[in-house]
Amino acid sequence: MSNLTPVQKLKGILNQDSVQEQFRNALKDNASLFVASLIDVYGSDSKLQECEPKAVVMEALKAATLQLPINKNLGFAYIIPYKRKGKPEPQFQPGYKGYIQLAMRTGQYKFINADVVYEGELVSSNKLTGEVDLSGEKKSDKIVGYFAYMETVNGFKKTVYWTKEKVTEHAKRYSPAFSYASSPWQSDFDTMAIKTVLKSLLSHFGVLSVEMISAINADTPSQEEQVADEIEANANKEIIDIESPSKKEQSHSRDCPSSD
């Protein structure tokens, strides 16, 4: 079994009746096409092949449950290999097109859109009302920010605009793999930025279906993971001098006059 290639191991798992049944339950007649695309995605990504095939299948099932294709060229969903404590682990992530698709399925949105903002296009942003005017004339190909817009069928409208700097700070804080060479933040920053702003809009102001909540939860590190990542990133960067209780007591006795 150890002589099998990663792709052969993946195919072996996918051929198991229990696994096939899970994909059929999620995708019905489209299960075979999804499985074929999974094999193609896995076989064409050497970094993903470093992950355990079983773990890749489990992440693919999350996409299948949401009925989002994982073909990279489509941009609906991805299975991205990250390194956690030196070990490669796959993670399902919806793309911004995936969020739009899930929003459309609710039947609650009249308009939904997200894109880049070029230099000169931003005219004003009203912090009080939340209105953003992007009617300015484009001055260059320099991207200065990103927007997401929605209007529900009952007339509620909302626009969110983030500067490129704000997106970068957000990604550094909440994406453990932001600086990794294999991270999509490095290979496709603008697409990831659009998704981040759209996700923020929908999670704070949108009409959320069970599917959308599942996608957002799958795309958001848990609080425990965030804390662990911050500890790992910042540990041993400086020496902290913590006085022992005995030292503190000695210092206190020298500084404070006796009551006798």
Side-chain angles (χ1 to χ4, degrees), residues 115-168:
D115 208 341
V116 303
V117 176
Y118 292 102
E119 183 181 24
E121 290 183 328
L122 177 65
V123 176
S124 65
S125 178
N126 190 317
K127 187 173 183 179
L128 182 63
T129 65
E131 293 180 306
V132 179
D133 185 350
L134 298 173
S135 62
E137 185 176 348
K138 176 182 173 182
K139 294 181 179 179
S140 70
D141 290 332
K142 179 182 178 182
I143 296 173
V144 297
Y146 307 86
F147 80 91
Y149 169 81
M150 73 177 192
E151 180 179 344
T152 61
V153 292
N154 66 5
F156 176 73
K157 302 177 183 179
K158 182 64 180 178
T159 305
V160 169
Y161 170 77
W162 286 18
T163 64
K164 191 169 187 176
E165 290 74 20
K166 181 176 179 178
V167 173
T168 301

Side-chain angles (χ1 to χ4, degrees), residues 171-245:
K172 287 180 179 179
R173 180 177 177 83
Y174 294 107
S175 176
F178 174 80
S179 60
Y180 295 170
S182 59
S183 170
W185 280 106
Q186 301 300 320
S187 60
D188 201 352
F189 182 94
D190 292 333
T191 298
M192 290 294 291
I194 292 171
K195 185 193 81 168
T196 299
V197 177
L198 178 61
K199 175 184 168 185
S200 177
L201 171 71
L202 293 173
S203 61
H204 286 89
F205 305 102
V207 180
L208 300 180
S209 64
V210 174
E211 286 184 328
M212 291 177 69
I213 293 173
S214 297
I216 290 171
N217 288 340
D219 199 22
T220 304
S222 67
Q223 185 176 7
E224 291 79 4
E225 288 176 320
Q226 292 177 18
V227 171
D229 292 329
E230 287 191 19
I231 291 174
E232 187 173 354
N234 296 295
N236 302 321
K237 287 198 172 181
E238 62 177 313
I239 298 174
I240 302 175
D241 184 15
I242 303 177
E243 289 186 312
S244 65

